[in-house]
Every structure is written in C-alpha cells, then in structure tokens.
Amino acid sequence: MSIEITTLLFFLSLIFFLVLGLPLAFVLGGVSVLFLYFTWGVDSFYMVATQMWGTMESFTLVAIPLFVFMAMLLERTGVARDLYRMMHLWCGGVRGGLAVGTLGICAVFGAMVGISGAAVVAMGTIALPAMLERGYDKRMVLGCINAGGGWGILIPPSIMMILYAMISGVSVGKMFAAGVLPGILLVALTVTYVLVRSYLQPHMAPALPPEERGSWGDKLRAVRAVLLPIGIVVMVLGSIIGGITTPTEAAAMGVLGALISAAVYRKLNWDILQEAAIRTFKLTGMIAWILFAAHAFSAAYQGMGAQMLIEDLMMGLPGGRWGIIITMIVIVFFMGMLLDPVGIMLITLPVFLPIVNSLGFDPIWFGILFVINMEIGYMTPPFGFNLFYLKGIVPPSITMRDIYWSVIPFVIVNLIGMGIIMAFPEIATYLPDTLF
Amino acid sequence: MRLIHAYVNGITRLNIFLGRWVAYLIFVIFLLLIFEVFMRYLFSAPTSWTNELGQMLFGLYIVLSGGYVMAHRGHVNVDLLYSAFSRRTQAWVDIFTSSMFFLFTLALLYFGSSMAWESVQSMETSYSAWNPPIWPIKLAIPVGTLLLLLQGIAKLLEDVIVALNLQPVADTPKSSPEETQ
Amino acid sequence: AQDVTTWRVQSHWPASSSSYEDSLVRLKNVIEERTEGRVQLQLFEAGALFKAQETFNAVSRGILQMGTISPGYAQDKMTLAGIASGLPFAFHNVWEAAYFHKNLGFEKMLQEEAAQYGVYWATDKVYPTEMVVKNPINSWEDFTKLKIRSSGALQKFLDDAGASTTYLPGSELYPALDTGVVDGAHWGAAQGAASMSLYEVAKYHVKPALNIAGTDVIIVSQKALDKLSEKDQEIVKQALDEQFWYRTNEYQYQERVALSKAMQEQGVQVNTLPDDVQQRLTEVAQKSWDEEGKRSEKAAEALDKLKTFLGELGYL
Ligand code: NA
Ligand code: NA
C-alpha cells in the first residue's frame, strides 16, 4: 500500500471515530495501534508504551499542572474575579474591552510559558466565566482564549522554537529574538479584530451601561485588584529573565505567587487547596492522556513512512521559489489540522529545510512562519490540542461545535499575520539581525 | 445484574479514591521545584535530586490519572454528531467505538507490563548523578493502564445495559458536590 | 528481481547534527552501494519513533533493525556502558581511546556483552566531551563556584569534585545558560556546543576534555543481521568497522574547524584549566573509576586493562 493511501485511511479513521464521539485520547491511541498492526506488526505496539514513558519523562510538561494549579487558585480565591471587575470598570465603556484585556493577559502569559496548553486551561479557568457572566458572546470568548493561549509558543520563551532550532541548526537566541515582533503583530491584529467586530456587533462583547461604570473612586479602589496579579507576573517573568529559574521552574513561582495571593485574600485554607488540586489533576490527566496517545500517533505515522509522503509532495513542484514556500505552508496547515506539532516538525522539517536554504530564504524567517503555523494548528478543527483542552474546562452549555466555530475568524487573523510576515520578512529578521 | 452493578460501583469508587490521593502529588511537585530554585539561587547549592524526583512524581501523577478522569467522564470527545443521538443510540455507538479503546489499552497493558517487567528484573535505576530506582515509575504504566481499562469495562457494561434496555443503571457516584466544575 | 531488505534505523542525533549526515547517511550510502541495493536503510531522526533511552531495547527486541545510541542509554543492560561512555580524565588523546577500543579488545568485550541481548555493537567513533563556561576557570575556587548543567556519570563526577551540578533537559539548556541559571555546560564538544548555540552565551571553551570515549554507538539487531546472506552480513560488519576509523579521524578535524570558527566569529576563547585544577580533578576522577569497575566482573576486567594501559602511557 502506498503511503498516500495509508495516510488517507489513517486520517479518515481518525475523523470517523472522532465524529462518533469516542474521546480523542482513545481515538488517537486505538487508530495508531490498528495501523501499526497492518504496517509494522504486533511487536511495534511496544512503541506505544515507550512513547508513554517518554511523555512521563518530559520535564517541560511539568509546567502544565503547575500553571493550571495557579489558575485554579486565582479563580477560587477571587483574585481573578476582582481582576475582571477592575478591567470592567476601567475598560467597560469600550465594546470588547474585556476581550482585549483577556488578550493582554494571554500575551503576558505567552511571555511566561514556553508551551501552549497551560495558558489555554489557565485562561479558560480565569477569563471564560468572568466574560460570559458579563454578557459576552461565547464564541467571541472561546476564540480569544484559543488564539491568545497559543501565543505561548510564539512569544519567547518557546519550546517550539527551541525544537525548531535543534532540528534546523539555527541559533536559539535568534529564533527567540525573531519571535518578538511577529508576536506583537499578531497580538495587535487580534486586538484590532476584536475591537472592530465588537464595535460593529455590540451584542458580541457589550460595553458596561454608563450607570454601572462606577465613579473614579470606585475605579481607583478597584485598581488594588491588579496588584497581586502583577506581583505574580513579576515573580514569574522576573525569575526567568533574572536567571533565577528556567521557564519550567517558573511555573512553580507562579504557584507560589498564587498561594501568597490566596493568603492576602484570607482564603488560604485546606478546602480551597484540595479542590484546586483535584481540578488540576482532572485537567492534567485529560491533557496527559491526549499527549500519550498523540505521541504514539505521530510515531506510528512516521514509522509508516510519513516523510516519504512529504518528499513525494515536494517533488516537481511548479510555481518558483514563492510557490514552493506557499506549498510548504499549505502542507503544514493541513497537517496541523490532524497531527501534533512536534510530530509535524519531525516529519516535514528534514525535507523542507534543505529546500528553504537552497532557495535562498532565511531559515529563521521560515521558522517563524512555521511556528505561527503550529500555533494555528493548535486551534484548527478537527484535532487541535487547544480545542480539546478548552472543552475539558468549559461548562456543559458550551459544545464542541461552539469551540470549532469560534476559532475560524481567529485563524483567518493569524493567516493574515503570516501573510504580512511573508511579505515583509524584516518583521521577523530585523531583531535577530540587529541583536546578534 | 447485581454483580455488574457492584463491579461498576466498585471500580468507580476505587478510581476516585486513588485519584484523590494522587492529586495531592501536585503539592509535592511544587515544593520540590521551589526548593531547588531556592537552593540554587540563594545558596548556590543546587541539588542533584529535586528536579529528578519532581519529574518522577509527575510521571506517576499523569499515568495514574486515566481511570480517575474516565470515572468523571473527563476524557474529552467531539460531540458534534454524538450529542444528536438518543441515549440508546449513543450506547450502541459507544459499544462499537470501544473497540478502539480496548485496542489501545490492551496494547499498552501488554507492552507496558513487558517494559515494566524488564525494568523490575534489572532493578533499573536512572543512572543520573542521584541514580534513583525508576522501576517503580515504569511499573506505574501497567498499573495506570489497568485502572483505565477496568473503568472502560465498567463503561462498556453500562452501555450494554442501556443499549439492550435491560435496566436503568443507578447513577454511579460520579461526582461529589465539591468536585463538579 | 532480487530481494530487498529495508531496515528501520532510529538515530539519537537530530537531523541538523553533523553526525547525522556524516555518520548515518554515510553508512547508509556505503551499505546500500556495497550490497547493490539489497539492504536499504530507512533513517529516522532523534525521537521520531523511540526515545534515545529506548532504542537499545527496541533493537534488542528486533522492532528496529538498527539504531544509534550513547552507551549511557543502555546502562541497565550493559555493565560496561559506564566505561564505554567515558571515565573522566582517563585518556589524554583520541588515539589512545581508539587503541584501547580496537587493539586492546575493549570493543570485543562490548560486543560480547551486547550479544547477550541480541545486539551487535559497533562504536561509531571516539571523541572528547568538553565543557563551555560563561566565565573562565582560573583557580580551584572558580571551579567550585560553577553551576554546571550536566548529566549521567559526568554529573556525579563534577558534583564529587565540588562544583554544583543540575540536570536540565536539552531544550532548556540555552535559556538557562543565557540568563545565568547555570554558568557552564557540556554538550559534546565544540560542534555540539555550536549546534546548541551555546557559544552565543558562553564564551569560554574549557580544555582538556572531561572525557574521551566511544560516546556514539551504532547497534544492529542480531536477528536482522542473521536474516541477511552471509556475504551481506560481512559487508555490513566491514562497513561498521571502517566507519569507526573513518569517523574518529574525520570528527577530530571537524572539531578543530568548529572551534576555530567559534573563536574567529564569536570571540570564543580556549580556557585551559590550571595545572592544580587538572591535578585535583584527576584525583577525584580516579576514585570514581573504581565505582564503574564494581558493576560486574567484565567491568572490573575492563578497568584493569584500562589502568594497565594508562600506566604504560605514564599517566598513573
Ligand atoms: Na512563550
Ligand atoms: Na489542529
């Protein structure tokens, strides 16, 4: 059987069982085992077990439960609620004000974490109820969290960039520097979209009625609510930049900050700690089992010869150098719908990079396009990690359909951002060229 | 029928009981990482064991979560089409798709056990500077998978009962009040 | 039509590593050419199918037909792994390690031990592991003040010697070194450090090497080997044997080029450890060797052989 047909059957089975409502983790795991049986034999199931062990040994993943725990504490102690009250008092007059505030917090989160899942779950915990409560449209809220949560891998530090650097041989420092301006660009574009959309359709993100906007006294008193969150951000970011912790360890600083905040709110009691721990366990477990299976899925696909498919696809392409780059991006975009980002990198980059280099493109610029594409992949249906992480945390009234629909405009905004960076490579290359 | 009932309730209780204890590992992981940061930054004396122990406990934490998450119906699925089905149709569909679940968990159980057994035999250690035994963590792979598998069998039994319209199953002790999200 | 055998080969090198191209792709080309296409290698880069630590088991079980590893990843099976992956401050020159492996029979011992697990062991090359640091080490005090990112046996050694060590995954090494979470690290030697961009944030390359050893190994499933015709088996083994000499020599050349490039383009300086520091490190190192000798009779025998050899050279 050719790799083209295997690929088609492999992904069709994935979608088939997904649509039938089997949890994603078991779809990925079961389909992997099924296809390993036909392409490699029973012994290869050993790979599924070793991929699981590999996930258990991944130090960077330790940040996930810690950041989730931090968010749970902030939510249950009322710190998050006060923060949103403050934002509402100050920006409530603007349509979409809270959404913009949320995007701002996402951007800061992006600078604190190097991975994507933690921010989505954390923001889903903190921001989602606060915005729904204030009459925001659920799809607007979900889209913002999905898009903003993905910035963890675009705004440095970023595990994806480090992986890209390791596979491509470019400098990690340059990749980080290259991510800064595109990160700002994407944040700005997303904020613009939210403001325009909510200006045109006020019911999506209503402003606070004038009589509820509060006096200046109210506003100033409410500002106290940001002191603790800012303190936490300073602790986490400061400890990374100041060389006190690695990005993973910084997650523990976040928890420490949240515990201190809880103490200030006089809510540091066993009930809250216990409840936060149990909710954290449930979410982390959900995420981890998806990762176990997703890693097995990518490995199975690579074992079937996925790279040959990419080589075949790249063979004899028309369209000149830009045609080739765009084809690569389209391939990665479609793979992003169905595969996990690390797997995509391992499958495509060894084929793509020599071509990128021989066409005379800057591999750092290509890396940024690639990372944005991965970020989009985290939120494109049917299988985007962020979508499922978010589903794990939303109230039952929000369905997967809502989450799927919510991301469409945000994906388009990201694609526009990617287009701008393609047209003006300096956005990515200016900082690394200047700093190094 | 009563036997099935007892099994479903028993397994669910077991998973929820174990899960609550494993959940507390997050405190230990947090303390270990913070301790390392303080030792390294304040005393310039990083330890060789805290990060590794934290890592090992994290592995334990996530691998033992499968059954607990399933007992709470916490493994996320796509409900686009599924939610439009009747409860009985859902049960039939679930019985069919459980084939994938069992394929996955049985493969994991068999090969995870084989991997763990190899590790136990050689009393495998990590060969880091600290060099702790890692066979207990590898052993947790078949244990965690088994907990998930048992919970999956419970789910299958419930589905069969619903699909065949045998008898409504009383609600499993799914969520105590403080655990609902 | 002739029968074509395709081997799945899992590398422990990322595709950007020079060794992926120079060791693995070279071997693929040699084997495919000499068997006239009867044996084909399908290469997978680091982590694609199996993590480095599981590759030995996968080859041993015959799921993979070939793989590349560091001996350290097979520690729980191979009692000689500790000596193979390098006793600190033992050899002074690369040729000594090569001589020990090939002429004094250490490679044979490794092969015998690996054979118990159905694995054919072939050292890819011997080469040094060297450290890079943010500030030069000019005294024993400078050394003991260091916070070093390390792993495995070298971490234990550096710890025992009085430096502070910490283990971080490779993906966190660059940011940690950049912000000063750690101020030294080893990742191979010059080429390894360059591939991880470490010279951007740590400008001193420490000599002498922490160790010189057969840190890269090619392993072949005996089952897969037995399925080949005798002629092809011979071709594969021959190619592996040649590979050792070819790559050991080539790698030294590449190391020198990488270091000189880093010195010219990134302002890297060589920091030679002061004599007293070297002396004290050697003393600590020699104590750690005995630990490795205790792992098995074979290990004790290998260690004896090594000590005799080093004595002959006048190092002990
Ligand atoms: Na980030
Ligand atoms: Na996706």
Side-chain angles (χ1 to χ4, degrees), chain A residues 341-389:
Chain A
V342 175
I344 298 174
M345 285 187 140
L346 288 174
I347 292 168
T348 59
L349 285 180
V351 182
F352 285 175
L353 283 165
I355 304 176
V356 169
N357 285 322
S358 70
L359 292 175
F361 287 108
D362 185 340
I364 289 187
W365 165 79
F366 183 75
I368 295 300
L369 297 180
F370 200 93
V371 170
I372 297 177
N373 227 334
M374 293 294 97
E375 191 202 319
I376 296 173
Y378 271 106
M379 59 172 169
T380 43
F383 164 41
F385 280 115
N386 287 358
L387 308 170
F388 285 84
Y389 298 166

Side-chain angles (χ1 to χ4, degrees), chain C residues 130-175:
Chain C
E130 288 162 4
M131 199 162 52
V132 294
V133 290
K134 286 172 84 81
N135 299 303
I137 304 167
N138 292 322
S139 66
W140 183 249
E141 214 203 335
D142 286 347
F143 172 78
T144 54
K145 270 197 297 199
L146 285 178
K147 281 182 277 189
I148 305 169
R149 184 273 178 198
S150 184
S151 60
L154 280 179
Q155 185 177 0
K156 178 134 187 18
F157 160 66
L158 292 167
D159 240 1
D160 291 345
S164 317
T165 62
T166 188
Y167 173 76
L168 301 169
S171 58
E172 297 213 335
L173 174 51
Y174 177 92

